[in-house]
Amino acid sequence: MNFGILLFDGVEELDFVGPWEMLTMWSKVAGGPEHCLTVSEASTSVTCAKGLSVHAHFTFDNCPSLDYLLVPGGQGTRREVTNQALLDFVMRQAGHCRAILSVCTGSFILHAAGLLEGRKATTHWASLDRLRQLGDVDVVEARYVRDGAIWSAAGVSAGMDLMLAFIAYTAGEAAAGQVQCQSEYYPSDMRYGLFHKDEQAPEYLRDPKWKTTSSS
């Protein structure tokens, strides 16, 4: 089984590193995919949004057939939505993938590749209105959303929640529990500051289940 993660200049680091951690932990402790890999358009290094430099395992030309593909977000997506080589790669892999996943503004790449029309999806809170403006996506304000074989997550850290949910759906609650335990990913339910009161705050952040700091 091959699970690939797409990389490109301007990709947000945690959008792919968070899911990568969950994905490879799944392979290590709970029978996850045999082959976890990254892929970019060229063999040169990719410079991420915050300056991290990484080198993908494969290019579009030599990437093996994938069973699953995750598309992260970041400022680079604004350019990549018009990169036909990248869109062709996503569409080609989507033709046989069991599932396609996006994190943050990676959802815009899925849309540009023709994969979100008429589907439910989410993205980073600051881009929710932009996703709505596309007109053919049912935008949901949630940490992650599944619509058939298409999964999408909100911004940055939400990719880890997405991957755990995907593991639970694909391999069962026990496998997801092993991954969560080994990675010690038990997010605090604390929210800091007052952003949850801002009109742009996503719906899930207004849920009263969240704790607030005394200054909030």
Side-chain angles (χ1 to χ4, degrees):
M1 184 188 301
N2 295 327
F3 196 120
I5 295 181
L6 181 63
L7 300 180
F8 46 84
D9 283 337
V11 63
E12 186 68 32
E13 283 88 339
L14 195 58
D15 279 14
F16 73 89
V17 173
W20 176 264
E21 177 66 27
M22 299 299 169
L23 171 62
T24 53
M25 189 69 78
W26 177 24
S27 294
K28 181 177 180 180
V29 304
E34 295 90 344
H35 305 290
C36 304
L37 58 96
T38 54
V39 57
S40 62
E41 182 173 0
S43 59
T44 53
S45 296
V46 168
T47 302
C48 304
K50 304 298 194 303
L52 179 70
S53 181
V54 295
H55 199 287
H57 297 109
F58 294 94
T59 68
F60 295 168
D61 291 335
N62 62 19
C63 182
S65 178
L66 300 176
D67 298 286
Y68 303 101
L69 173 65
L70 183 141
V71 180
Q75 288 294 321
T77 60
R78 289 158 174 76
R79 176 190 62 255
E80 299 303 329
V81 292
T82 60
N83 180 350
Q84 196 57 51
L86 182 141
L87 299 180
D88 286 345
F89 172 79
V90 172
M91 288 186 284
R92 184 166 65 251
Q93 294 291 343
H96 48 73
C97 277
R98 302 180 194 179
I100 301 288
L101 304 88
S102 71
V103 179
C104 196
T105 53
S107 56
F108 289 89
I109 290 178
L110 297 197
H111 182 270
L115 300 176
L116 287 191
E117 183 177 355
R119 291 186 179 272
K120 295 178 181 179
T122 194
T123 190
H124 189 283
W125 65 265
S127 295
L128 288 167
D129 284 343
R130 189 159 61 96
L131 190 61
R132 290 188 183 99
Q133 289 168 9
L134 296 176
D136 58 356
V137 182
D138 182 2
V139 178
V140 181
E141 297 184 25
R143 289 287 283 175
Y144 60 86
V145 177
R146 180 179 72 87
D147 188 334
I150 302 295
W151 295 67
S152 57
V156 196
S157 65
M160 292 183 285
D161 295 347
L162 169 78
M163 186 56 69
L164 276 177
F166 177 77
I167 294 168
Y169 178 84
T170 304
E173 296 283 340
Q178 286 180 274
V179 172
Q180 186 177 38
C181 179
Q182 290 296 321
S183 58
E184 203 166 345
Y185 181 64
Y186 297 99
S188 166
D189 57 358
M190 179 66 73
R191 58 188 175 192
Y192 300 88
L194 298 172
F195 179 66
H196 61 283
K197 296 182 179 180
D198 190 285
E199 63 179 13
Q200 283 192 287
E203 184 176 341
Y204 72 83
L205 196 55
R206 300 189 184 99
D207 194 310
K209 72 179 181 180
W210 288 78
K211 300 173 185 175
T212 56
T213 58
S214 58
S215 62
S216 302

